[in-house]
Amino acid sequence: MGKKLKIAFLIIVAIITILCSCINNIQLNRNIYCNDMHIKRSEQEEMNRLNNYNLDDMEKHLDYLEHKENETDKEESSSNAIDVLEKVYVPKFRILFSDNPIDLRFETANYKIYINNKILDTIDGKCNNIYDTCALCINDMNRCIDEVGKDISAFKGKIYQYLGVN
């Protein structure tokens, strides 16, 4: 019993660690984007745009910063001048999320996975289509079973009538 509790505890700790890392990554990417892109905007304009992130713009800007970081790394290796204000760390594994409309993106150096409102609507439509098709098939099967049951009852009645059994 104690061993099961230890394993369950370790699994819960691992899940919480992964979840916190993902949330931290989302916030880090948003902070980089917001601080770099919206420094000159007024507070009122920022309050109006609260939680309305353009992930396409965010993705392009983070890619630009990453490219810029790679270029500065090459230049720094040739010269020793380091500009601390220009140095921005962009994570190699990025999670971008916007909730209205839902848009979830996982990006690595080689792969990008998108889950957005269009995909969810398409999946919902396909699920509804499959559900409707299955419901039609089940209704047809029930109708066929009822017809077979009626045929069996009629045949049984004819046999009883032939044998003279009431």
Side-chain angles (χ1 to χ4, degrees), residues 12-57:
I12 290 172
V13 168
I15 289 172
I16 290 173
T17 303
I18 291 170
L19 185 65
C20 291
S21 297
C22 290
I23 291 171
N24 190 21
N25 189 299
I26 290 169
Q27 285 302 115
L28 175 65
N29 287 313
R30 284 185 177 174
N31 286 338
I32 291 170
Y33 174 71
C34 290
N35 288 338
D36 205 43
M37 290 296 286
H38 300 293
I39 281 178
K40 296 179 182 177
R41 295 190 190 270
S42 68
E43 287 185 26
Q44 182 64 33
E45 196 174 2
E46 190 65 28
M47 291 301 291
N48 291 338
R49 295 179 57 139
L50 188 65
N51 289 334
N52 187 13
Y53 298 98
N54 183 353
L55 295 189
D56 293 327
D57 188 30

Side-chain angles (χ1 to χ4, degrees), residues 50-91:
L50 188 65
N51 289 334
N52 187 13
Y53 298 98
N54 183 353
L55 295 189
D56 293 327
D57 188 30
M58 187 186 296
E59 183 180 337
K60 287 177 188 173
H61 187 70
L62 290 172
D63 287 340
Y64 169 75
L65 288 175
E66 186 176 8
H67 179 67
K68 185 177 173 183
E69 178 184 340
N70 291 339
E71 285 181 358
T72 57
D73 286 345
K74 291 177 186 174
E75 291 173 8
E76 287 174 6
S77 63
S78 63
S79 68
N80 291 333
I82 298 174
D83 189 4
V84 176
L85 295 176
E86 291 292 322
K87 187 75 172 165
V88 176
Y89 173 73
V90 179

Side-chain angles (χ1 to χ4, degrees), residues 121-164:
D121 288 343
T122 303
I123 290 172
D124 187 39
K126 296 283 186 188
C127 288
N128 286 339
N129 189 13
I130 291 170
Y131 175 77
D132 292 342
T133 304
C134 289
L136 287 174
C137 290
I138 289 172
N139 288 339
D140 288 345
M141 287 183 354
N142 286 338
R143 189 174 36 84
C144 290
I145 289 171
D146 289 343
E147 288 177 9
V148 168
K150 289 176 185 175
D151 290 343
I152 290 173
S153 296
F155 182 70
K156 189 167 77 173
K158 289 182 180 180
I159 290 179
Y160 285 155
Q161 188 179 31
Y162 179 74
L163 296 174

Side-chain angles (χ1 to χ4, degrees), residues 92-94 105-114:
K92 300 298 179 194
F93 178 73
R94 296 189 293 219
R105 300 178 185 191
F106 298 98
E107 297 182 15
T108 63
N110 300 324
Y111 301 102
K112 293 182 181 182
I113 300 171
Y114 296 94

